[in-house]
Structure formats: structure tokens, C-alpha cells
Amino acid sequence: MRKAVRKVDMAEIQAIRDQMDRLANLPDRFNQQFADRGWVMFEAMNADVADEATSMAERGSVDEAEDYLANFWTTDQIRHHITQLKRVEAFRSRWRLAVDAETLYGQELYHACVLMVLAVLDGMVQETSARFLGINQNFSAEKTDLEAWNSIAGHSTGLSKLKQVMLRPRKKTNLEAITIPYRHGVIHGMDVNFNSRLVAAKTWAAIFAVGEWAYLAQQGALFQPVSEEPKSLVREIREIAEQQAKNEELKAAIDSFKPRDDWEQGLIPTTGQPEDYRIGTPERALVQFLVWWQNSNYGKMAGSITTIGSRPTHPLQMRDCFNGKTLCSFEITEVRDGAIARSTISVRLNVRGQRDEWTHTLDVAMIKFVQANTPEDFERVEWTFSDYYQLARRPKEN
């Protein structure tokens, strides 16, 4: 028997839908504002940061938006994305160069940092092209194609546009400060004034975007699969009708969403083991991850992480992030349900590093990355999150 649909605030539902539409169009909006300035959207980029920067630019504050983006790329963020980039085979042999470049970035030695990152970028594209595409091309080659059919960065408004911008001819010595990492100008010494955080940040963002293309290339996923046999008219009509019925049922479930009051009623333990929490809840999923951290079970930890696009996280990423950092204890301080597939959990962590110990409280966004066709799909899919690296990050002292 189907449960009765509860009435909810329609204005709130419309606001959620508007936000979903806004995020769905975010890559195009972001690239429209920033591609000519040397930034493009890519899969692992922080969506909240990209959305805020895009909104600033759409209001006319493009320069301020660029500063906001540059300031986002802290050494912690860069270190996290370098770890993610290890999934790209052509990057692994260049990993040490990237780590050294990150050190230079932290020391504000941007000249040296930019040169090293551009070198890694060229080498990564050339090795990927040779090993997985059977062609000899690097980032600076005129015919190099960086498009991918199912990729945010590989969209025609993304890497292809970024390549055009970064490879603009630089034939005369330029003493003026540049704001874009022109590859030819920097490598060949024609642009000599690029010692800025902005240029360095754009260079890092570029290599992380290209890393998305390189990973798809090694997976053989750059091109759209051949479509299956055409469907009969009767079959197509039947499938459309079935999908429409599912959509209506799903819409009713979303419209009837009501946040739980379990936290306010004291029904959620502040700490404990996974079995102390109700099955299918975001708090149980987070506690399970934290317990795996306490047991250094990097394989299980990796299996519970989802990034945009639901590509697998490698256990080595977990080890690089959490090794040498022991979770001594944790305490949930609040649970907030924001939507049918999103909750925020505030958790206080006590972590012991190799030299010291610290306590910090942070918000973890728990999300169900699910291609939902029915309301039951929301119950079957486990809760997950993507910003795992923040759990192990030592807070900066004020």
C-alpha cells in the first residue's frame, strides 16, 4: 500500500529545483565567464566554489571572482588533487615533480612552480597519447584533441578552449605581468613576469582538468559508445510511459520530503559503532568510515567514497591522506537533513599525528549519488561523501 503524500512548502521545493537546475548548468556558466581567462570547470572541482565565483562574475565582479578562485587553491587543496591525480598512469612517474612544485607554491616561489607544472602537464599528455591513443602528441601540439564525450573538462567549451588560450603565440619579449599561464611565453622565456599566485593557481587547475581527460583516455572512454539497435515504436512508447509513471512517483516522494527530528529527540548516538545507528542513515555511513579509519582499513574507506561521476577511489589515495594520522575518538554534534538525498553531519574529531594531536569540528556533507527511478532507489543506495581529505587535515592555527 502506498504511503500518503505529505504536504510541504512548495516554495521550498521550487527553490531546491532551481538550485538543481543551477548546478546542472554550472559547467557552461563557469566556462562562459572564465575560459577566456584561463580557467575551466572539471569534474573534481569544488562545485560550491565554482558556483560562487560564477555568480560573482555574472554580477560583474570578474576580477574579484578570479581572486576568490585563486585563494581557494591552497596548498592543502593542491595536495589533495595531486593525490587524486595518481589514478592517471602517466602522472605517477611525474608525481615527485608535482610534489616539489606544490612545495614551491607554498613558499610563494611561483616562477619555479609554474615552470614545473607546465612540464608535468606536457609530459602527462604526451605519454597518455602515446600509450593509450597510439599517437605522439603533447599539450602544445596544434592537433592535440582534448575533448571527451562524457566529461565536464573534456566538453568543447572546456579543455579545447583552455588549450587555445594557453597556447596563444608569444613572439615578443613581454615585461608586463601576465594573468594567464601562456605555455609558449613561459617555457620559451618570452613572458618573464609571471611570478603570481593567480598564474600559478591557473596552472594547477589546468593540470587537474587535463588529468580528467588523461584518465578517460587510459580507460578507453574518450568516445561515445556505439548506440544499440533502434527500438521499435511500440517498445519506445511503452518505455516512455513507464518512465513517466516512475517520474511522477519520484516527484511525489521529493515533494513529500520532511527532515527527520531524530537528532532533536536524542535518538542518534553521539559516538559508537556502526551497528548503534539505524541502517540506511547518513550517520551510520559516516561512523562506519570513521571506524575503518581507526582500523586503517584503506580498502573499505576507498570503497565508500564517491566523487562526481561515481568513479572509484583508489585505496592508495586513502593511505596517502590518512596514513600517520590516528583517529583517537569522534563525536557527532549535530545531524541536519537538507533534502531527500542530502544531510549534513557536524562531527568533532580527535586526531593524533606523528608529532602532535589536535581536535577540530567540521561539517560533512553526506549525499546519495543515485540515478533514481523510483522512491525506493533512495532507500537502497548507501550514503556517501567526497571531501574525505578534510577529515585528516590539521586545522590552521589562528
Side-chain angles (χ1 to χ4, degrees):
M1 181 176 179
R2 186 174 298 174
K3 296 180 180 179
V5 175
R6 294 187 296 265
K7 291 184 178 180
V8 294
D9 186 347
M10 295 305 297
E12 181 180 353
I13 294 173
Q14 187 59 48
I16 294 174
R17 289 173 176 159
D18 291 344
Q19 178 68 4
M20 292 175 65
D21 290 341
R22 185 177 181 85
L23 292 177
N25 296 322
L26 179 57
D28 289 336
R29 293 172 49 229
F30 183 92
N31 291 346
Q32 182 178 0
Q33 295 295 331
F34 297 111
D36 285 328
R37 289 174 171 250
W39 304 96
V40 295
M41 188 79 178
F42 56 96
E43 180 183 291
M45 188 172 181
N46 186 297
D48 291 336
V49 171
D51 188 35
E52 176 62 24
T54 303
S55 297
M56 293 171 65
E58 289 171 344
R59 294 193 298 267
S61 303
V62 184
D63 292 337
E64 291 82 352
E66 281 211 279
D67 289 339
Y68 175 74
L69 286 171
N71 290 332
F72 167 74
W73 287 107
T74 63
T75 53
D76 284 341
Q77 285 289 339
I78 290 170
R79 193 174 302 118
H80 165 63
H81 284 274
I82 286 175
T83 299
Q84 287 190 321
L85 206 55
K86 280 188 175 181
R87 67 180 182 171
V88 176
E89 295 183 22
F91 175 76
R92 294 172 192 165
S93 58
R94 298 166 175 83
W95 171 79
R96 185 72 255 175
L97 289 174
V99 171
D100 290 343
E102 182 266 315
T103 299
L104 294 170
Y105 184 84
Q107 296 171 348
E108 299 184 2
L109 299 174
Y110 301 125
H111 271 141
C113 170
V114 169
L115 283 163
M116 291 182 70
V117 176
L118 286 176
V120 173
L121 176 60
D122 264 4
M124 186 172 68
V125 172
Q126 181 151 342
E127 181 178 336
T128 297
S129 298
R131 289 180 60 184
F132 301 105
L133 302 179
I135 52 179
N136 185 20
Q137 61 181 19
N138 59 28
F139 182 74
S140 61
E142 182 179 350
K143 295 183 179 180
T144 299
D145 184 359
L146 299 178
E147 291 193 15
W149 82 277
N150 190 24
S151 165
I152 293 176
H155 190 269
S156 59
T157 64
L159 283 175
S160 295
K161 177 64 176 180
L162 179 64
K163 179 173 174 286
Q164 293 176 8
V165 172
M166 291 181 61
L167 297 184
R168 286 173 182 165
R170 313 294 291 176
K171 297 182 179 180
K172 295 182 179 180
T173 300
N174 174 40
L175 303 181
E176 299 295 324
I178 59 174
T179 60
I180 293 174
Y182 297 115
R183 189 266 181 195
H184 298 325
V186 171
I187 295 294
H188 298 298
M190 304 310 291
D191 286 302
V192 298
N193 191 352
F194 56 93
N195 191 36
S196 71
R197 181 187 180 94
L198 178 61
V199 174
K202 289 181 180 181
T203 312
W204 281 116
I207 197 172
F208 298 140
V210 171
E212 180 180 318
W213 168 87
Y215 181 71
L216 290 174
Q218 76 184 36
Q219 298 294 106
L222 286 180
F223 310 106
Q224 185 172 7
V226 178
S227 60
E228 57 186 30
E229 290 295 322
K231 301 175 183 177
S232 68
L233 181 59
V234 173
R235 179 185 172 192
E236 190 167 354
I237 292 175
R238 183 184 298 116
E239 290 183 358
I240 292 174
E242 291 174 352
Q243 186 61 50
Q244 185 174 0
K246 290 179 179 180
N247 290 343
E248 290 298 323
E249 190 175 6
L250 180 59
K251 177 179 178 295
I254 294 174
D255 290 350
S256 65
F257 167 75
K258 184 179 181 180
R260 299 173 297 162
D261 57 1
D262 292 9
W263 178 256
E264 289 76 7
Q265 293 188 26
L267 301 178
I268 301 176
T270 57
T271 190
Q273 295 297 310
E275 54 268 23
D276 298 327
Y277 299 82
R278 187 161 57 86
I279 295 175
T281 60
E283 54 270 15
R284 180 178 176 124
L286 178 59
V287 168
Q288 179 65 82
F289 183 89
L290 297 177
V291 170
W292 282 330
W293 177 9
Q294 290 178 324
N295 297 329
S296 299
N297 193 332
Y298 302 124
K300 290 287 189 180
M301 293 166 72
S304 67
I305 295 297
T306 298
T307 57
I308 299 174
S310 301
R311 290 179 185 150
T313 302
H314 199 280
L316 287 177
Q317 295 175 232
M318 296 294 106
R319 188 184 67 181
D320 289 342
C321 183
F322 292 93
N323 190 31
K325 299 168 184 175
T326 302
L327 178 59
C328 302
S329 63
F330 63 87
E331 178 186 2
I332 294 176
T333 59
E334 189 178 9
V335 177
R336 304 183 298 278
D337 294 336
I340 194 171
R342 183 182 180 91
S343 291
T344 301
I345 301 177
S346 299
V347 59
R348 181 181 297 114
L349 305 176
N350 178 245
V351 183
R352 184 174 63 250
Q354 294 178 337
R355 296 183 179 179
D356 58 356
E357 188 171 322
W358 63 87
T359 299
H360 62 148
T361 300
L362 44 83
D363 292 337
V364 181
M366 304 294 295
I367 300 174
K368 286 183 177 179
F369 287 101
V370 53
Q371 298 295 329
N373 289 317
T374 69
E376 288 75 18
D377 287 342
F378 285 112
E379 299 301 324
R380 287 197 297 266
V381 178
E382 289 294 329
W383 290 85
T384 184
F385 62 103
S386 58
D387 293 338
Y388 61 86
Y389 63 94
Q390 67 171 326
L391 298 174
R393 183 172 60 195
R394 193 189 194 288
K396 295 183 178 180
E397 297 181 358
N398 295 327

